[in-house]
Amino acid sequence: MQTRRDFLQKITGSVIATSLLPRMAQALPLTTRPYEGPVLRVAILGLGSYATRVADAMQSCTKAKLVGAISGTPAKLTAWQAKYNIPAKNCYNYETFDQVKDNPDIDAVYVITPNALHHDQIIRVAKAGKHAISEKPMAVNAKEGQEMVDACKQAGVKLLVGYRMHFEPHTLEIIRQRKANQYGKITFFQGLCGFRIGDPAQWRLNHALAGGGSMMDIGIYAVNGARYMTGEEPSWITAQETKTDPVKFKEGVDETIQFQFGFPSGATASCLSSYNMNFLDRFFLDGTDGYAELWPSTGYGPIKGRTNKGELDQPIVVHQTLQMDEFADILLEGHQPVVPVDGEEAIKDLKIIDAIYLAARTGQKIALNL
Ligand code: NDP
């Protein structure tokens, strides 16, 4: 199984993404008839390893098309023009990309840069009058997230976040079964998210660019998953941080955080976010009448799920292909996804992460009203 954890341990980017292409061939055809509806024309900003994965996956999209690229590295722009057939007139750098506002051939810009850069870049995209797509975490705190939402509202553009699991078939089937009361009253969720991070010099271990440590990068999946798996918002939070390597994980860069949620129904959650433990990629949902498990739960796949009634046999998909086609439906046709992927959804995660950091720092139980 290939996971993003393996992937990040052996950083770096595009070489690895290319090696994953055979797995992407597992993508199911999304339609059997030629598609004749509107197509979302996307420019990607920040041509790193995840951007390359998204660009490769977009080659199989029906409703979304990669048409532009924005980069601080001229050689990457040249390479992307050749590899993805992107016209030079749709390529920009970080100084010039506000000019995208005069480019009628681009509908949306997908920002895939280090976390702390999303805020300013998304606001510039909004001011250029284009729909904005941000990678997760949308921002490094809820205040910055709110500013991004406000800027997009003010500019009259939509803001979406790359929550690819919100479209993943096993995940959606468990949500469907939970809503159909198949597990009875939900009592407990466990989310384990982590991997051992490699290169100590990478931006993920630099607070100024990452905004934190494992919580911002991988713990956010447990935060977000606790919400969509239980169908509730946490009303209190406690958290504990442990650090075994303060040289690699400096001040403001969390190595491992355990955190707990209480929900209004009385259900609880217990989660683990780590940059120093391998094989953490598991969700477990417990109810009075049944249970569900996703393991792996948020890696690139294949995702596997089972319940007290047996294995789930939902289709294996390429997450990024599906996500971009769904984003096209949302942005062009006003489609409402089962689990939201908009800026308001991301602000909830950021408020929770702010509270987790506060709880870990102070040892206090933090009340939340989302
Ligand atoms: P990479 O380091 O591989 O790529 C980031 C790119 O951002 C760089 O290649 C560079 O592109 C650009 N960039 C601009 N300024 C800087 C800077 N100061 N330092 C470093 N890079 C800079 O990171 P990833 O692609 O792994 O992650 C990017 C974002 O995507 C993060 O927010 C991450 O959380 C998210 N992500 C989401 C995943 C998911 O499954 N949804 C999986 C992996 C990442 P250029 O040279 O073109 O300017």
Side-chain angles (χ1 to χ4, degrees), residues 17-45:
T18 309
S19 74
L20 293 170
L21 281 174
R23 264 176 206 284
M24 289 185 161
Q26 293 172 348
L28 292 180
L30 295 170
T31 178
T32 49
R33 281 189 309 191
Y35 174 72
E36 289 172 357
V39 169
L40 181 73
R41 299 163 304 169
V42 179
I44 291 183
L45 185 155

Side-chain angles (χ1 to χ4, degrees), residues 165-166 170-181 183 228-230 285 338-339:
M165 301 317 296
H166 292 199
H170 299 79
T171 306
L172 289 178
E173 175 59 12
I174 290 174
I175 292 170
R176 188 196 67 73
Q177 292 188 5
R178 189 249 304 148
K179 287 180 175 170
N181 217 22
Y183 315 126
Y228 63 68
M229 293 288 278
T230 63
L285 184 69
V338 173
V339 187

Side-chain angles (χ1 to χ4, degrees), residues 4 46-51 70-73 76 94 112-115 117-118 135-137 162 164 203-204 209 217 221 300:
R4 69 184 286 278
L47 312 183
S49 68
Y50 192 63
I70 300 158
S71 174
T73 312
K76 288 188 190 170
Y94 298 130
I112 317 187
T113 52
N115 311 337
L117 307 182
H118 300 172
E135 248 321 307
K136 47 58 55 180
R164 61 188 162 77
W203 67 259
R204 280 181 168 78
L209 287 171
D217 188 34
Y221 286 97
Y300 295 140

